Amino acid sequence: MKNKIIIALMFVGISAMNAQEFDRSVKTKENFEASIPHPDQDKAVAEKLKNLEKKMGKKPNIVWIIVDDLGYGDPGCYGGGAAIGAATPNMDKFAAEGLKLTSAYSQQTCTPTRAAILTGRLPIRSGLTRPILSGDKITANPWKDEISLPSLLSAAGYTTLLTGKWHVGELEGMRPHDIGFDEFYGYYSAPKEISQSVDLHRYPDLTMNSDYMNTFNKIKTNTHLIHGYKGGKTEEVSEIKSLDDMGRADQVLADFTVAKIAELAKSNKPFFLEHAFLKVHADNQDNPDYRGLSKAKYQYKNAVVEVDMHIGAIVKALDDAGILENTFVFITSDNGPQMDAWPDGGYTPFRGAKGTTFEGGVRIPGIAYWKGMISPGRQSDDVFDLMDLFGTSLRIAGVSPDNLPNDKYYDFIDQSSFLFLDEGKSNREAVYFWWGKELMAVRMREYKEHIKVIIPQSNMLWIDYATVQNVGLAPWLFNLYIDPKEEMPVGHRRSAWLATLGAKLKDHGSTFKKFPPKKIGL
C-alpha cells in the first residue's frame, strides 16, 4: 500500500512538472490573464513604435474592419475566393502584404465578440453572452460599469468612430456614442432583424398578417440608419423600407467611412475607426446597383465580393490621405459562417458553424496589415483571440493597462510584439470557449479539449436544431494539427496533455470565484 502511494505521488509530481513546463504563461497581476513572457520581444516592439511616432509626429491610427459571419474558408487567401465563386482580391492582397493568422479566434456569435473586443473581457464577465433580441427585457445595463476601449482611447487623445453594425444594445446608455465612441453612423441590429418586416418572400406569415405585424412593430428593432454623437444629438437619417434599401446599406456605410477618413486625416489627432459591415450576415440582399456581382450569382457570394470591394476602398482612402504607413489595419469576422441560413451562409473547412465552439464556429480569418510596420508575406499559426485587439490597441495608443480597475478580471493579451515584429511569437497560451454561460473548451498550442459540445440534430442546423451536451466519460481532446475537423479524439490514448488542459480549464474557472459574472437578464 505504501509503495502504491509513493508511486502515485511520483506520478502526480511528474504530471505537475510536465504541466508547468507545457504551460508557458505567467500571471503578473491577479485580475489579468496570464501571458507568455517575451521580454526581448516587448522591448523591441516598444522601440519600433517609439521610432514610428517620432517619424510621424503623432500616435498611430487604428482601423478594425469586421465582416459579419464571414467563414474561415470564404476569402481566397484562406482557400476560398474565386475557387468557390466569390473572388476576394483585396483581402488576398492585404494578407499577402501583411500577416495572415491561421489560428485567430472569435466568440461563437456576434454580440459576444463585439462586446469582448471593446471590453477586453469574456462575455460571461460583462453579461453580454448573446444578442439582445426583439422582445428581450434586460434587468441591467451591462455597459454601465464597463471601461470600453473607445473611452480609453478618447482619454488618450484619439477621435473614435464606429460605422456600421452595433448589435450590443440600442437602449439609451447602451448605444455606441453612449459607451465611449465620439460618433456612430450605422444600425443597431443585424440585417435579418432590420429587413424581416419588409421581406414578403422569407417571412410571409409575419408580413401578410396585419395582426402579427401590428404586434411586431411594437417590439421590433429600430430600422433606421442612426447618426449619433457623444454627449450630443442622435438622429434617424433614413429608414430601411425595402429590400433594395437593405441591399444598398453597406455601400452607404462604406462611402461614409471613406469620406470620414479624408476628414480625420487632416486633424492633428490620431483616430480609432471600427468599420463593422452588415453583410455577410443573413438575410443578404443584393445591392440593386450591381446585382450578380460574384461568379456564383447567389446573394451570399455577391455580398462577399461587395464587402471585399469596400475593404479595398477603405484601405485606398487611407493611402490617398497619406496616412497608410501610420495606420494599423485588422480585417476579420465576428464568428464563423451561419450554416443554418444556407445557401445564404458562408464556408468553413472545419466542423461546426456560427453558434458552436467547434472550430467552424470560432476560428476566423485574421489579417493584420500595416505598411512599413508588418513585413509582407508573414503567416502564423500561433493563437490569437480577437479580445487581444483590445490590449494591442492600448499599446499602440500608449495607454497603460494599469489604468484599468482592480475589481474586474481582464482576459485580453497585448499582442503587439507578435503582430509587428518579423519573428514575433504569440504572447497567448490559451483560448477559452464559452457558449452563453457554459464553459465549453480550451485550446493550448495544437490541442483543444472540450468538456461540453454542441451537436446538430440535422445537417447544417447548428443553431436552430442543435443541443448542448456533456461529453461523457472523458473530455474530447483533439490534436488540431492531425485532426483539424475535430472528428477523432486522441484522449489519453495518444496524448500526454489531457490532464494539463483540464487543469487549465479549472484554473480559468477559478477566476470567477473572486470576479463573478455579471447578470443582466439574458
Side-chain angles (χ1 to χ4, degrees):
M1 183 67 173
K2 183 178 179 181
N3 288 339
K4 287 182 180 179
I5 293 173
I6 292 172
I7 292 170
L9 288 172
M10 288 174 62
F11 178 77
V12 170
I14 293 170
S15 297
M17 179 182 69
N18 287 343
Q20 188 176 27
E21 292 176 358
F22 188 80
D23 185 353
R24 302 158 292 180
S25 65
V26 175
K27 188 176 278 290
T28 57
K29 201 172 179 181
E30 184 183 25
N31 65 321
F32 278 74
E33 178 64 18
S35 60
I36 304 171
H38 291 126
D40 292 340
Q41 229 179 236
D42 290 343
K43 184 178 178 181
V45 79
E47 187 68 20
K48 192 171 186 178
L49 287 168
K50 180 182 176 182
N51 291 338
L52 180 71
E53 185 176 355
K54 185 177 180 181
K55 176 183 175 182
M56 296 297 177
K58 66 178 181 179
K59 294 287 186 186
N61 308 305
I62 302 164
V63 174
W64 297 351
I65 300 176
I66 301 173
V67 188
D68 203 345
D69 290 4
L70 185 74
Y72 183 96
D74 281 326
C77 51
Y78 286 88
I84 56 173
T88 56
N90 291 297
M91 281 186 270
D92 300 348
K93 175 179 184 291
F94 302 133
E97 295 179 0
L99 167 60
K100 183 176 79 169
L101 299 173
T102 56
S103 287
Y105 288 95
S106 65
Q107 304 301 310
Q108 43 81 26
T109 190
C110 46
T111 294
T113 293
R114 292 163 200 274
I117 60 178
L118 291 175
T119 62
R121 287 159 38 87
L122 283 164
I124 184 65
R125 301 193 194 277
S126 67
L128 289 160
T129 55
R130 67 165 177 81
I132 301 171
L133 303 173
S134 298
D136 276 338
K137 296 185 184 298
I138 61 170
T139 57
N141 178 1
W143 290 102
K144 187 175 181 181
D145 62 346
E146 292 292 336
I147 311 297
S148 74
L149 179 64
S151 67
L152 291 165
L153 296 182
S154 290
Y158 276 69
T159 299
T160 58
L161 167 68
L162 171 63
T163 305
K165 177 186 170 183
W166 174 234
H167 217 200
V168 201
E170 60 183 88
L171 298 176
E172 190 170 348
M174 298 176 60
R175 304 167 303 182
H177 46 300
D178 296 329
I179 65 98
F181 282 101
D182 294 319
E183 187 175 1
F184 169 59
Y185 189 84
Y187 294 88
Y188 292 136
S189 294
K192 181 258 184 189
E193 296 166 38
I194 297 169
S195 65
Q196 59 188 348
S197 61
V198 294
D199 193 339
L200 277 68
H201 176 71
R202 281 184 173 93
Y203 308 100
D205 56 327
L206 170 65
T207 56
M208 296 183 184
N209 186 313
S210 58
D211 288 341
Y212 288 0
M213 277 300 298
N214 288 336
T215 300
F216 182 72
N217 285 333
K218 295 175 183 176
I219 63 168
K220 73 176 183 179
T221 187
N222 191 319
T223 56
H224 290 81
L225 172 61
I226 304 296
H227 197 178
Y229 296 88
K230 182 194 296 182
K233 65 178 181 179
T234 301
E235 63 176 332
E236 297 178 342
V237 178
S238 59
E239 186 176 11
I240 299 295
K241 295 181 179 180
S242 69
L243 298 185
D244 281 352
D245 288 345
M246 192 77 256
R248 283 193 178 97
D250 270 304
Q251 180 71 65
V252 172
L253 296 168
D255 289 346
F256 179 86
T257 287
V258 167
K260 201 70 183 178
I261 287 171
E263 176 189 323
L264 292 169
K266 297 173 184 177
S267 169
N268 60 0
K269 295 176 63 177
F271 64 85
F272 166 51
L273 166 64
E274 178 184 343
H275 186 98
F277 286 101
L278 296 168
K279 292 175 176 173
V280 291
H281 189 296
D283 301 323
N284 284 288
Q285 311 294 341
D286 277 344
N287 186 323
D289 299 325
Y290 29 78
R291 297 188 193 278
L293 202 55
S294 70
K295 186 175 182 180
K297 306 306 177 188
Y298 277 82
Q299 289 178 321
Y300 179 87
K301 300 292 186 176
N302 297 339
V304 170
V305 174
E306 181 187 348
V307 160
D308 183 77
M309 178 178 69
H310 296 321
I311 290 173
I314 291 168
V315 178
K316 182 177 183 298
L318 295 168
D319 199 11
D320 290 346
I323 57 174
L324 190 59
E325 293 186 10
N326 200 35
T327 304
F328 168 55
V329 179
F330 196 88
I331 303 164
T332 190
S333 176
D334 60 345
N335 45 248
Q338 186 175 337
M339 301 297 284
D340 290 60
W342 188 90
D344 194 24
Y347 172 69
T348 178
F350 306 116
R351 181 179 185 176
K354 175 183 179 179
T356 81
T357 49
F358 284 116
E359 293 290 282
V362 291
R363 195 164 173 177
I364 37 85
I367 299 169
Y369 175 77
W370 194 344
K371 186 177 181 180
M373 280 288 281
I374 297 177
S375 297
R378 288 182 60 203
Q379 178 173 316
S380 177
D381 188 53
D382 283 4
V383 294
F384 183 91
D385 191 305
L386 289 189
M387 278 188 298
D388 298 342
L389 289 171
F390 185 100
T392 303
S393 297
L394 290 184
R395 169 62 77 93
I396 291 171
V399 178
S400 172
D402 292 338
N403 294 335
L404 295 169
N406 293 323
D407 64 346
K408 287 180 173 55
Y409 193 93
Y410 286 91
D411 302 279
F412 70 84
I413 300 290
D414 170 18
Q415 294 276 38
S416 55
S417 63
F418 169 38
L419 299 181
F420 305 151
L421 298 178
D422 288 353
E423 303 300 324
K425 300 296 182 184
S426 177
N427 301 308
R428 175 173 286 279
E429 183 68 280
V431 178
Y432 303 101
F433 304 98
W434 287 75
W435 187 91
K437 300 172 184 177
E438 300 287 344
L439 178 57
M440 305 289 283
V442 61
R443 175 175 172 177
M444 292 178 69
R445 307 198 193 194
E446 68 264 41
Y447 302 101
K448 186 174 175 187
E449 182 168 302
H450 296 258
I451 54 175
K452 290 177 182 286
V453 290
I454 293 171
I455 304 296
Q457 305 304 301
S458 183
N459 190 36
M460 291 192 176
L461 295 179
W462 290 94
I463 298 175
D464 285 343
Y465 199 26
T467 57
V468 180
Q469 298 182 14
N470 293 320
V471 293
L473 293 178
W476 292 5
L477 177 65
F478 298 99
N479 182 327
L480 296 175
Y481 282 172
I482 62 173
D483 181 22
K485 291 188 177 183
E486 299 172 283
E487 293 177 319
M488 178 60 72
V490 292
H492 66 284
R493 307 185 319 280
R494 303 185 65 90
S495 176
W497 309 115
L498 184 74
T500 301
L501 269 71
K504 193 69 171 174
L505 280 167
K506 185 177 180 180
D507 287 345
H508 174 64
S510 70
T511 66
F512 291 88
K513 293 179 181 178
K514 183 166 184 179
F515 304 97
K518 191 186 303 180
K519 298 177 181 179
I520 66 168
L522 286 181

